[in-house]
Amino acid sequence: MIIEQIVTNIETMDKAEIEKRHIEKVYLESALLVKRVQRVTTDHGKDIGIRLKNSRDLVAGDVLYMDDKNLIMIEVISDDLLVIHPRSLHEMGTIAHQLGNRHLPAQFENDDMLVQYDYLVEELLQELQIPFTREERKVKQAFRHIGHSHD
């Protein structure tokens, strides 16, 4: 089976529509969500090729295939993250500047900044006394590096 487009996302589906289908999951690391072409296997052992026609990243909950009885969706594996809890705008600005200088991608959930675990960033947060926790957490989308050069 080759998937060329995403059917929908499970979060936009009606609960009754989901419950009447058998669900298979494709477990992916968040880094693989940016790959438009890849070969994956469902949790039931079904091999699937993904070759997306449009240039979009996969997102947690994307439905790759659906018929009247079955549904195959993307499930993201938990990442090892530093969850930064700045107490003020000053702390947020300080750590955002430091991480930006390192070109480290971040995501935001509510008032928390999420970055993939890096021992150097952990040491920086300790040095700056900015509160953080290290957690295994699922993210909905990939940590994407933004292309940039210092010309």
Side-chain angles (χ1 to χ4, degrees):
M1 174 185 309
I2 305 242
I3 305 299
E4 294 184 330
Q5 64 184 24
I6 302 306
V7 176
T8 187
N9 191 289
I10 200 138
E11 291 183 14
T12 64
M13 292 178 64
D14 181 68
K15 187 176 179 181
E17 287 296 311
I18 298 168
E19 290 175 349
K20 72 179 189 180
R21 291 177 169 89
H22 169 75
I23 297 176
E24 288 186 57
K25 295 181 179 181
V26 171
Y27 289 92
L28 292 179
E29 296 175 10
S30 65
L32 295 176
L33 295 173
V34 299
K35 291 181 67 177
R36 286 183 34 229
V37 178
Q38 57 185 308
R39 185 176 178 167
V40 298
T41 304
T42 70
D43 58 349
H44 290 61
K46 186 179 293 177
D47 285 330
I48 296 175
I50 299 174
R51 185 177 60 218
L52 298 179
K53 288 183 177 180
N54 57 0
S55 61
R56 92 184 256 300
D57 292 349
L58 294 168
V59 176
D62 275 349
V63 176
L64 302 176
Y65 172 82
M66 183 170 60
D67 62 22
D68 291 340
K69 296 179 183 176
N70 299 295
L71 181 147
I72 300 174
M73 65 174 276
I74 298 290
E75 181 77 32
V76 179
I77 299 170
S78 296
D79 280 293
D80 186 7
L81 302 176
L82 292 172
V83 181
I84 304 167
H85 315 283
R87 295 169 290 213
S88 67
L89 188 58
H90 181 267
E91 281 186 352
M92 176 56 86
T94 299
I95 195 59
H97 178 76
Q98 291 288 333
L99 297 177
N101 280 342
R102 291 169 172 78
H103 301 276
L104 191 67
Q107 294 184 25
F108 298 88
E109 288 184 6
N110 301 316
D111 291 334
D112 294 333
M113 175 186 262
L114 311 176
V115 296
Q116 290 177 308
Y117 178 77
D118 180 301
Y119 75 94
L120 293 172
V121 174
E122 182 178 40
E123 289 174 0
L124 175 67
L125 290 165
Q126 290 168 343
E127 179 183 314
L128 296 172
Q129 298 181 338
I130 296 176
F132 71 94
T133 54
R134 183 175 176 183
E135 300 176 21
E136 287 285 324
R137 192 187 282 193
K138 293 181 181 185
V139 294
K140 293 186 185 269
Q141 57 195 25
F143 285 91
R144 182 171 276 291
H145 288 273
I146 297 172
H148 174 73
S149 64
H150 293 277
D151 292 336

